[in-house]
């Protein structure tokens, strides 16, 4: 058998670029792990303060945002399936739906933030500074984590629109599905992180 | 006669058609060109960091003010640390030698993600630009130390956001490279090249890549958190709102301790390549060395609390972290012993790369042993934040990582540039450098044991003699480094003679192509060979 000299094109066919995407996602998970580690440490130290702070969060709005994002994940998965079966037009619709749901999520998040800020729960503000121990740190972590997460969702939504344009242009053959699948993984990662955010901040806190 | 002996062209240095000279370099996706780009950028940053270091030492020449005031001294050691750690030592060996050699050593044409590779270099340069800009913009350079500890980094008058954001950008850059390397090693190996036929350099770069990929994001998040706290009031570490500064230390060192192993593993990999070649003997204990690379990365990642023994953590935590510190030294020692066993009863050929590798091993051992001294809880109480730490870290960073980088440079120089340097000059330069390094660093160990604190601008008269010795040592180091680079520059200028494909008679795949290699690396796919240290078949060619 003649040995090959492998190059990047061959590695794509061999699924190595999927490995690359999983490695990237591992690094995203570790990125959020730092702040979540702080959540664990401070939550252990200030159980009362965290419970009081968590009670201030709007569970219903949080759930609405989570529903939007998770349904978006479903749409992305359906889009990948549609591309695989050659149903380009349907895939484009699913991608538009997912991106729209991403923007819905961002809208819900914005409404939530506006609510908390208007109630004086502003980091660095007097209300939090005077609050019992833990509440300021809770909201510091909340705004930091949800802010970065929202940036990620924004980028992801834009990426989905780009993917939709590519599928429409006819990059709907098999290699296109691989690329779409990898982009989808990013979206699913954002959903998973949101599940942790919702669970830790809104429910167990 | 092998066909790659006969080729006399400029290999990948030949400009690809249709591009201007500059564009052909800074927009290149050829891993070899990206490696040269990293050599240029890390070299420039190294010069800047070294200048800061020399200025610091000039200040330390006498007690009290010598050439700068206390605040400027704080800025100097901050810049020195930030540049040397994040812009030089962490990216240099993977960026230069990892990039250049990984595809060649596994018989591939390029890395798995060539465009991400170029992006990583651009982010490296951007990080450097951000740090440079922080020196001249608004509040001026940071003076918090390269560790940016809260609460001072939240309160300091110097500009902290720019260097911290640079740290974030550089973390992303190094994560991209790490992702690239891991995927390359997994996916682009020649079909006949199993894991245990890989050169040991590949193992060490691979292990370092995993650490970098998983730990750097934690630092990136910590840097963003400090920026958010300082400029947006997001209370995370501020004790006034219930925050804990020690938690910042945890996040910082969760990356920065494993980063030390990222810094040293590629250098150890280079030594693991050089020593068998010049002993003309297969690497002793190949699997032990390969597994030790992984073990060092793993155990080192669990030892971060060694920087925090006196920060108020519990004694239990101290014991656990001290234990992991000691355990992490075991695979390092395994590697050193295996190198010694490789040399033992080999037909040793004493040439420049071997001399640099041996200097590296000696200095690494001193650095490693002083690390164990610091890892012992009782001793750490006295030595923490003293010059003993500074001496230890410079033995491993300057004596280990930098000398190891120079060993790799002298070994792979003919392959990369197609030219040979003067070995006599290189050896003489090494002698100067070696003497200078010990003059610079050993007094630091003495000063620390005698109680002089680190990062202090002023000191008691009894520390004066050792400081003078150390400062003179810094000048000798500078002279040695200039000597090294002058010799290599001379070789590049055209005065060096052309190098053949395999001047050291090594057996790894990069030597089976021309010096320098062509853009596609191999004119013909490399055939299944003996192992990476099978010198008998090389000697028979």
């Amino acid at each position: 058998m003649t040995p090959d000299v492998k190059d990047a094109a061959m590695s794509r066919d061999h699924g190595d670029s999927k490995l690359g995407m999983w490695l990237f996602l591992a690094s995203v998970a570790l990125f959020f792990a730092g702040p979540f580690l702080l959540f664990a440490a401070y939550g252990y130290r200030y159980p009362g303060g965290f419970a009081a702070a968590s009670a201030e969060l709007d569970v219903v709005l949080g759930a609405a945002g989570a529903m939007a994002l998770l349904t978006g994940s479903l749409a992305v998965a359906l889009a990948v399936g549609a591309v695989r079966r050659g149903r380009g037009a349907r895939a484009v619709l699913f991608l538009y739906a997912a991106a729209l749901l991403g923007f819905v999520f961002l809208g819900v998040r914005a409404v939530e933030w506006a609510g908390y800020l208007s109630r004086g729960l502003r980091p660095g503000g007097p209300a939090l500074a005077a609050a019992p121990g833990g509440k300021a740190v809770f909201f510091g972590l909340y705004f930091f984590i949800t802010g970065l997460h929202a940036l990620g969702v924004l980028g992801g939504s834009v990426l989905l629109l780009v993917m939709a344009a590519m599928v429409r242009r006819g990059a709907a053959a098999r290699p296109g599905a691989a690329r779409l699948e990898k982009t989808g993984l990013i979206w699913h990662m954002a959903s998973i992180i949101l599940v942790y955010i919702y669970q830790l901040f809104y429910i167990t806190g | 006669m092998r066909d790659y002996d006969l080729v006399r062209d400029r290999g990948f240095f030949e400009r690809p058609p249709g591009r201007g000279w500059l564009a052909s370099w800074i927009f290149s996706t050829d891993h070899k060109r990206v490696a040269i780009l990293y050599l240029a950028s890390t070299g420039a940053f190294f010069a800047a960091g070294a200048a800061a270091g020399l200025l610091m030492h000039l200040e330390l020449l006498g007690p009290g003010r010598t050439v700068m005031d206390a605040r400027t001294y704080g800025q100097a050691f901050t810049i020195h640390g930030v540049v040397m750690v994040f812009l030089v030592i962490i990216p240099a060996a993977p960026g230069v030698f990892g990039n250049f050699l990984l595809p060649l050593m596994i018989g591939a044409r390029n890395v798995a993600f060539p465009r991400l590779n170029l992006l990583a270099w651009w982010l490296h340069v951007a990080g450097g630009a951000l740090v440079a800009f922080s020196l001249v913009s608004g509040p001026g350079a940071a003076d918090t130390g390269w560790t940016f500890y809260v609460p001072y980094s939240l309160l300091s008058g110097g500009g902290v956001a720019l260097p911290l954001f640079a740290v974030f950008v550089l973390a992303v850059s190094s994560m991209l490279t790490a992702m690239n390397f891991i995927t390359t090693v997994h996916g682009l190996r020649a079909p006949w090249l199993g894991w245990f036929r890989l050169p040991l350099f590949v193992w060490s770069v691979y292990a370092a890549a995993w650490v970098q990929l998983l730990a750097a994001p934690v630092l990136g998040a910590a840097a963003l958190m400090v920026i958010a706290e300082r400029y947006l009031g997001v209370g995370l570490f501020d004790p006034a709102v219930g925050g804990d500064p020690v938690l910042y230390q945890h996040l910082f060192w969760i990356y920065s301790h494993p980063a030390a192993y990222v810094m040293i593993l590629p250098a150890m990999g280079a030594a693991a390549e050089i020593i068998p070649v010049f002993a003309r003997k297969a690497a002793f204990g190949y699997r032990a060395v390969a597994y030790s690379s992984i073990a060092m990365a793993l155990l080192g990642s669990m030892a971060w609390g060694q920087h925090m023994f006196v920060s108020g953590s519990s004694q239990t935590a101290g014991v656990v972290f001290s234990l992991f510190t000691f355990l992490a030294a075991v695979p390092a020692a395994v590697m050193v012993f295996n190198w010694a066993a490789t040399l033992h009863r080999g037909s040793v050929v004493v040439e420049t790369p071997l001399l640099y590798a041996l200097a590296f091993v000696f200095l690494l051992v001193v650095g490693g042993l002083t690390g164990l001294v610091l890892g012992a809880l009782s001793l750490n109480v006295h030595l923490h934040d003293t010059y003993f730490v500074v001496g230890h870290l410079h033995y491993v960073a300057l004596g280990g990582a930098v000398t190891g980088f120079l060993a790799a440079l002298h070994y792979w120089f003919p392959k990369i540039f197609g030219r040979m340097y003067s070995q006599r000059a290189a050896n003489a330069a090494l002698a100067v450098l070696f003497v200078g390094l010990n003059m610079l660093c050993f007094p630091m160990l003495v000063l620390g044991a005698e109680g002089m604190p680190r990062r202090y601008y002023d000191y008691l008269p009894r520390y004066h003699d050792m400081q003078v010795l150390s400062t003179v040592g810094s000048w000798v180091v500078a002279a040695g480094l200039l000597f090294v680079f002058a010799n290599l520059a001379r070789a590049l200028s055209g005065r060096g003679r052309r190098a053949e494909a395999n001047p050291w008679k090594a057996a790894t795949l990069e030597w089976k192509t021309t010096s320098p290699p062509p853009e596609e690396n191999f004119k013909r796919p490399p055939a299944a060979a003996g192992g990476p240290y099978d010198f008998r078949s090389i000697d028979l060619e």
Side-chain angles (χ1 to χ4, degrees):
Chain A
M1 188 178 79
T2 318
D4 305 320
V5 178
K6 289 194 182 175
D7 61 11
M10 291 175 68
S11 87
R12 271 201 293 279
D13 291 342
H14 293 185
D16 296 321
S17 53
K18 250 209 256 176
L19 171 63
M21 181 52 74
W22 280 110
L23 293 174
F24 169 69
L25 294 178
S27 72
V28 170
L30 264 297
F31 177 80
F32 281 95
F36 279 129
L37 190 67
L38 291 189
F39 184 92
Y42 286 130
Y44 179 77
R45 193 178 301 187
Y46 303 115
F50 265 43
S54 176
E56 301 259 16
L57 291 180
D58 191 331
V59 174
V60 172
L61 271 183
M67 293 298 285
L69 207 60
L70 290 169
T71 312
S73 270
L74 174 64
V76 169
L78 289 171
V80 173
V83 168
R84 285 228 179 93
R85 287 193 303 277
R87 315 279 288 276
R90 182 167 292 200
V92 171
L93 282 176
F94 281 132
L95 287 173
Y96 281 151
L100 180 66
L101 286 164
F103 288 116
V104 165
F105 167 81
L106 290 172
V108 170
R109 184 65 88 207
V111 167
E112 265 196 277
W113 274 34
Y116 305 141
L117 292 172
S118 70
R119 292 207 318 259
L121 294 166
R122 184 171 56 82
L128 280 179
K135 199 165 174 184
V137 174
F138 180 96
F139 275 98
L141 283 169
Y142 175 79
F143 282 110
F144 183 79
I145 293 177
T146 56
L148 282 174
H149 178 257
L151 277 175
V153 171
L154 179 64
S157 302
V158 170
L159 258 182
L160 286 179
L161 291 174
V162 170
M163 282 287 120
M166 290 178 95
V167 172
R168 270 182 65 192
R169 267 209 318 268
R174 217 87 66 92
R179 185 178 289 165
L180 182 60
E181 195 177 350
K182 280 180 296 176
T183 312
L185 286 176
I186 301 178
W187 192 260
H188 300 317
M189 187 74 198
S191 295
I192 293 175
I193 292 173
L194 179 69
V195 167
Y196 276 94
I197 291 174
Y198 188 68
Q199 172 194 319
L200 289 172
F201 281 98
Y202 291 76
I203 301 187
T204 59
Chain B
M1 176 73 88
R2 297 153 301 190
D3 60 355
Y4 49 85
D5 281 329
L6 297 171
V7 177
R8 282 288 181 219
D9 64 25
R10 295 172 65 231
F12 73 94
F13 285 100
E14 209 63 57
R15 192 203 307 185
R19 260 185 168 172
W21 178 83
L22 185 64
S24 74
W25 279 98
I26 64 174
F27 297 122
S28 172
T29 52
D30 178 358
H31 67 100
K32 300 180 292 300
R33 288 196 169 217
V34 174
I36 303 290
L37 289 175
Y38 268 102
L39 188 61
S41 59
T42 54
F45 294 137
F46 181 73
L54 286 168
L55 275 172
M56 284 164 63
H57 253 296
L58 203 54
E59 170 55 40
L60 290 169
L61 197 51
R65 182 195 168 111
T66 310
V67 293
M68 61 180 85
D69 63 21
R71 179 132 194 283
T72 311
Y73 184 75
Q75 293 173 313
F77 67 65
T78 302
I79 281 298
H80 176 70
V82 168
V83 169
M84 286 306 202
V85 172
F86 295 116
L87 286 167
V88 180
I89 303 197
I90 289 179
V96 177
F97 298 110
N99 262 319
F100 195 92
L101 293 164
L102 228 48
L104 283 166
M105 282 182 163
I106 63 176
R109 193 170 289 144
N110 205 333
V111 289
F113 306 113
R115 283 173 303 183
L116 284 184
N117 206 14
L118 179 67
L119 176 64
W121 181 76
W122 273 102
L123 289 174
H124 178 242
V125 172
L130 284 168
V131 171
F133 188 57
S134 79
L135 301 180
V136 296
S137 73
D143 61 346
T144 56
W146 74 278
T147 46
F148 294 104
Y149 272 18
V150 298
Y152 187 58
S153 56
L154 300 173
L155 306 167
S156 154
V160 154
L162 277 173
L164 273 174
F165 192 67
V167 167
F168 174 77
V169 169
L170 291 166
V172 174
S173 164
S174 56
M175 276 154 48
L176 288 175
T177 300
M179 193 180 93
N180 222 338
F181 286 174
I182 294 172
T183 313
T184 303
V185 174
H186 274 273
L188 298 189
R189 280 172 290 135
W192 48 265
L193 194 52
W195 279 89
F196 293 104
R197 288 173 80 179
L198 287 172
L200 290 166
F201 180 74
V202 175
W203 277 98
S204 67
V205 171
Y206 177 78
W210 271 111
V211 172
Q212 188 67 5
L213 181 78
L214 297 177
V218 180
L219 179 71
L224 291 183
M225 281 193 264
V226 173
I227 295 176
E229 181 145 5
R230 183 177 162 110
Y231 295 98
L232 300 173
V234 175
L236 294 166
F237 304 116
D238 182 3
V241 294
D244 188 350
V246 175
L247 284 177
Y248 169 81
Q249 294 186 24
H250 276 291
L251 290 184
F252 181 83
W253 289 113
I254 284 176
Y255 168 72
S256 300
H257 185 67
Y261 296 88
V262 170
M263 293 187 232
I264 203 65
L265 272 169
M268 295 176 90
E273 291 302 319
I274 294 172
I275 289 176
V277 169
F278 293 92
R280 305 312 297 162
K281 192 162 152 271
F284 187 94
Y286 172 94
R287 287 205 182 209
V289 177
Y291 288 140
S292 290
S293 296
I294 307 288
M296 262 181 84
L298 206 60
L299 292 167
S301 300
M302 303 202 269
W304 76 86
Q306 62 178 232
H307 300 267
M308 301 165 58
F309 289 143
V310 294
S311 296
S313 19
S314 70
Q315 183 156 32
T316 312
V319 169
V320 169
F321 285 119
S322 177
L323 176 66
F324 276 114
T325 303
F326 274 76
L327 285 176
V330 172
V334 164
M335 291 170 84
V336 172
F337 285 129
N338 277 286
W339 298 334
T342 305
L343 286 166
H344 178 60
R345 303 191 108 205
S347 315
V348 178
V349 179
V350 180
E351 297 200 80
T352 298
L354 180 68
L355 288 172
Y356 275 82
L358 292 175
F360 159 77
V361 174
F362 176 85
L363 295 165
L364 175 72
V365 167
V366 175
L369 290 175
T370 51
L372 287 177
V373 169
L374 287 166
L377 288 170
S378 52
L379 292 171
N380 190 279
V381 172
H382 298 281
L383 296 173
H384 176 78
D385 264 355
T386 67
Y387 256 80
F388 194 88
V389 179
V390 183
H392 157 69
L393 78 91
H394 283 91
Y395 263 111
V396 282
L398 202 47
V402 172
T403 309
F405 184 92
L406 293 176
L409 189 58
H410 284 84
Y411 178 57
W412 279 297
F413 187 91
K415 175 56 58 183
I416 297 174
F417 295 106
R419 299 226 166 251
M420 188 52 87
Y421 48 83
S422 156
Q423 288 204 38
R424 277 183 58 196
N427 298 344
L430 175 65
V432 174
L433 186 60
F434 187 78
V435 167
L437 278 171
N438 284 293
M439 276 179 77
L440 170 68
C441 300
F442 199 84
M444 293 177 176
L445 300 175
V446 174
L447 283 167
E450 290 187 347
M452 176 165 175
R454 67 186 294 194
R455 294 182 177 169
Y456 267 43
Y457 159 81
D458 195 1
Y459 52 81
L460 297 170
R462 72 175 196 253
Y463 299 131
H464 190 209
D465 290 339
M466 286 288 126
Q467 285 288 7
V468 171
L469 187 56
S470 188
T471 300
V472 174
S474 74
W475 300 335
V476 178
V477 167
L481 288 171
L482 284 171
F483 196 174
V484 166
F485 291 120
N487 182 32
L488 294 176
R490 188 175 180 280
L492 285 178
S493 70
R495 238 96 59 94
R497 65 183 163 78
R498 287 214 107 247
E500 49 190 272
N502 193 358
W504 312 120
K505 303 281 178 283
T508 41
L509 289 180
E510 75 272 24
W511 302 103
K512 294 197 192 317
T513 184
T514 56
S515 300
E519 200 226 321
E520 68 273 23
N521 286 350
F522 299 97
K523 288 220 176 344
R524 275 207 308 253
Y533 310 108
D534 179 9
F535 300 114
R536 254 171 312 181
S537 61
I538 299 293
D539 289 336
L540 286 171
E541 274 176 4

